[in-house]
Amino acid sequence: MLSRRRFLAALAASAVVGACSDDSGGGGGSSSAAARRSTSTTGPLPRLDGSAFTLGVASGDPMPESVILWTRLATDPVGDGGMPDADLPVVWEVASDERIRDVVASGVATASPRLAHSVHVDATGLEPARTYWYRFRVGEEESPVGRTRTAPAADAEPERLRFAFLSCQDWQDGYWTAYPHLADEDHDLVVFLGDYIYEGDRDPDKVRQHNSPRVQTLKAYRNRYGLYKGDTGLQAVHAAFPFVSTWDDHEVANDYGDEYDERGAPPAEFLRRRAAAYQAWYEHQPVRLEPPAGPDYRINRTVPYGRLAAFHLLDERQYRSVPVCGADIGPICEEAEAPARTLLGEQQEAWLADQLDSSEATWDVLANSVILSRTPVPIGDTVLYNLDQWDGFPPAQRRMLELLAERRDGNRVVITGDIHASGVADMWRDFDDDSSPVIATELVGTSVSSEFDESYLDIAEQAVRQAPWVQFFEARHRGYVAVEATSEALRADFRFVATTDRPESTIETASTWAVEAGRPGAQEA
Ligand code: FE
Ligand code: CA
């Protein structure tokens, strides 16, 4: 009897011949035809120059009965991939055991040079709230085994949800010493909040160097992802948990918004760059999305987790109004107060209102790239703001606070990356009115490796002392936040590594905060 494994190998071999679609019954596959072709064990697969699975495997956007599986074939990940200019068949298998013996779903996907030989498989027919293992194969080579987990059924009330949230992994600023620790923890999923790559030039003074000058082309973005995704710690985390990911600015260019580029690229040129960056992002993320076609690419989406939680993933770059008082640190000018100014864009704002309105989850978690709570920096007689954050868009910030306030139990938690420092804020309905009720909670996670400029440390610490809604602030440490949510409370452990200057480090939980259901705002636990 033909084993399932040999059958799939045969199917893959037949797919590369290209005749599969015509004579084997339209994709369903005919085992006898495939078996006849399997007499040649390697098939006509082009010879690869080294291992194809240098970038590991990943999964993401779990649903109750399916999950996205990802890999990208690249024998030379920082040298344009190194792959032949041909479509290649990639076998995938999902099993209920780590050794991939009890295979419950499988198939053959096509890795095409158009998408840098990346593969996004929607593995369906799975059971809710279950752990699975998966693997790919190209020719005779097997990928490492990844582990993933489906979401609970829509009406299920899981006892708990564990997730970690992360952001900002500048390769040059430090080693990702948090990842081996994170990979060993027990989470249902990982949320990535942006700055997965940094587009910048090589800096010889940093602990490790980028592989090219400032990235501006599709090839260069792909090679930059090739560098970042080569990290074995990052690969281990992807192989351990499904990811739920959004982006921030550095996936394209620092502080960009819509067509605005801080370096002054003409809009048409910048939009071409944005299209290239969005495509490379898609090619390297396990996302439940179609590939982009051009510079407009909708990625905002909701990932529900039974009745316990729903993750609302926001895009805070593509639709934002261009800056009017600068995109850096400065006072808020009058033009910034124009009511039409937006950070999410009109459509995404309406979409979020609908998602929140119709949500039946105990916890609505907003995956937010830039700080939402007000963070004034009083200097002498003036007050400065980081105008790249929600503070730079006061009308949009007020609309967002109103939206969050609509839910009376206050179980809306905003998780944020952005500033390379940790923070906890009790969000006021109106930050100008100190009698205003607390309506939601913002948890800000530090960077995985990106630096907080310590020359700003004193100013930042002084500023947060004057903002009574800020409960916690810490900027010296790198790491991530590990969260456990139940129907009673959402608890956040701020996990800090000792160093990112060396490849390895210890880690500790430096601070723990809890939000009680029905009571917005955080308490130190
Ligand atoms: Fe960053
Ligand atoms: Ca950023």
Side-chain angles (χ1 to χ4, degrees):
M1 199 175 119
L2 193 67
S3 75
R4 181 169 198 111
R5 189 187 156 130
R6 298 244 341 247
F7 168 68
L8 285 165
L11 203 62
S14 73
V16 85
V17 174
C20 193
S21 54
D22 288 322
D23 67 7
S24 70
S30 145
S31 61
S32 60
R36 274 198 303 281
R37 288 190 192 112
S38 76
T39 47
S40 155
T41 52
T42 52
L45 196 72
R47 220 186 142 76
L48 301 181
D49 203 10
S51 169
F53 295 108
T54 53
L55 302 177
V57 298
S59 70
D61 287 357
M63 287 181 44
E65 286 165 17
S66 70
V67 65
I68 300 294
L69 308 179
W70 173 94
T71 193
R72 179 189 159 204
L73 310 180
T75 54
D76 186 2
V78 294
D80 304 333
M83 297 297 293
D85 185 23
D87 284 0
L88 299 176
V90 181
V91 176
W92 59 272
E93 294 169 289
V94 179
S96 59
D97 66 309
E98 198 169 353
R99 306 181 74 173
I100 318 285
R101 290 200 170 141
D102 180 22
V103 173
V104 298
S106 59
V108 181
T110 301
S112 161
R114 277 182 305 111
L115 296 170
H117 291 98
S118 64
V119 170
H120 294 76
V121 171
D122 186 5
T124 57
L126 307 179
E127 286 173 34
R130 276 201 57 176
T131 299
Y132 290 98
W133 286 263
Y134 60 95
R135 181 174 65 191
F136 296 93
R137 190 162 57 253
V138 60
E140 298 287 293
E141 191 190 357
E142 283 175 353
S143 75
V145 171
R147 184 182 66 192
T148 190
R149 192 166 171 82
T150 48
D155 60 354
E157 296 186 8
E159 210 174 304
R160 63 170 47 79
L161 156 68
R162 289 200 181 100
F163 67 95
F165 66 89
L166 337 163
S167 62
C168 295
Q169 47 182 16
D170 192 323
W171 177 268
Q172 301 196 117
D173 280 355
Y175 294 96
W176 301 338
T177 52
Y179 284 151
H181 300 286
L182 176 56
D184 276 347
E185 290 178 10
D186 180 17
H187 293 291
D188 296 293
L189 54 90
V190 165
V191 184
F192 200 92
L193 297 170
D195 291 358
Y196 193 96
I197 58 162
Y198 282 71
E199 81 289 10
D201 202 350
R202 260 188 214 110
D203 182 346
D205 297 330
K206 299 281 183 147
V207 298
R208 50 182 184 174
Q209 276 67 50
H210 274 155
N211 54 327
S212 70
R214 180 171 304 280
V215 169
Q216 304 197 347
T217 64
L218 179 57
K219 264 189 183 194
Y221 280 112
R222 284 170 169 169
N223 288 336
R224 186 57 57 91
Y225 279 100
L227 176 72
Y228 277 53
K229 291 194 73 82
D231 184 271
T232 53
L234 177 61
Q235 288 185 14
V237 175
H238 273 297
F241 314 111
F243 269 49
V244 168
S245 303
T246 186
W247 58 35
D248 193 27
D249 53 339
H250 288 286
E251 280 86 351
V252 181
N254 184 47
D255 285 356
Y256 88 95
D258 190 4
E259 60 186 32
Y260 163 80
D261 169 38
E262 67 170 1
R263 291 167 175 268
E269 182 195 315
F270 187 73
L271 289 177
R272 278 196 297 277
R273 194 189 308 167
R274 192 175 97 179
Y278 286 1
Q279 180 171 335
W281 178 84
Y282 168 79
E283 289 168 351
H284 294 87
Q285 301 294 344
V287 285
R288 187 179 292 280
L289 296 167
E290 293 299 315
D296 302 323
Y297 188 36
R298 183 187 151 161
I299 67 160
N300 57 287
R301 62 203 189 280
T302 292
V303 176
Y305 206 82
R307 291 252 169 125
L308 184 55
F311 295 92
H312 307 288
L313 295 144
L314 303 178
D315 174 351
E316 302 187 349
R317 291 292 163 186
Q318 192 174 176
Y319 312 107
R320 62 162 73 191
S321 304
V322 296
V324 285
C325 332
D328 202 4
I329 311 288
I332 293 175
C333 62
E334 214 182 298
E335 296 93 307
E337 291 286 352
R341 279 178 58 77
T342 176
L343 192 128
L344 294 179
E346 209 178 315
Q347 269 186 28
Q348 186 178 195
E349 215 172 289
W351 166 83
L352 180 62
D354 275 355
Q355 294 304 102
L356 291 177
D357 194 45
S358 61
S359 171
E360 291 181 24
T362 301
W363 299 100
D364 281 306
V365 180
L366 276 69
N368 174 58
S369 308
V370 297
I371 301 232
L372 176 53
S373 298
R374 188 176 287 182
T375 47
V377 183
I379 306 258
D381 289 342
T382 55
V383 182
L384 307 182
Y385 292 89
N386 182 335
L387 300 169
D388 185 61
Q389 300 174 356
W390 283 84
D391 277 345
F393 305 78
Q397 188 180 39
R398 282 192 291 272
R399 289 196 299 273
M400 189 68 155
L401 292 169
E402 286 304 310
L403 181 60
L404 292 176
E406 277 170 17
R407 181 163 174 169
R408 275 186 299 275
D409 66 14
N411 292 358
R412 288 177 173 167
V413 174
V414 179
I415 59 172
T416 306
D418 183 26
I419 56 157
H420 312 166
S422 307
V424 174
D426 289 353
M427 303 181 74
W428 296 4
R429 187 186 188 122
D430 178 355
F431 285 111
D432 287 320
D433 174 6
D434 60 14
S435 68
S436 193
V438 175
I439 47 116
T441 316
E442 182 163 16
L443 304 172
V444 181
T446 186
S447 58
V448 171
S449 63
S450 308
E451 257 167 20
F452 183 91
D453 185 343
E454 295 217 356
S455 61
Y456 290 120
L457 196 60
D458 286 348
I459 297 172
E461 284 178 346
Q462 215 173 18
V464 298
R465 273 199 294 276
Q466 292 174 65
W469 53 87
V470 178
Q471 298 264 50
F472 171 61
F473 175 74
E474 208 288 341
R476 285 192 172 83
H477 286 91
R478 315 279 74 82
Y480 56 90
V481 182
V483 177
E484 179 172 301
T486 67
S487 57
E488 275 93 54
L490 185 146
R491 195 185 145 93
D493 287 335
F494 288 78
R495 307 267 290 149
F496 292 166
V497 294
T499 184
T500 55
D501 292 340
R502 291 185 295 279
E504 278 157 40
S505 171
T506 55
I507 195 164
E508 59 165 10
T509 297
S511 188
T512 298
W513 293 80
V515 184
E516 259 175 62
R519 186 179 164 200
Q523 286 84 43
E524 192 160 17

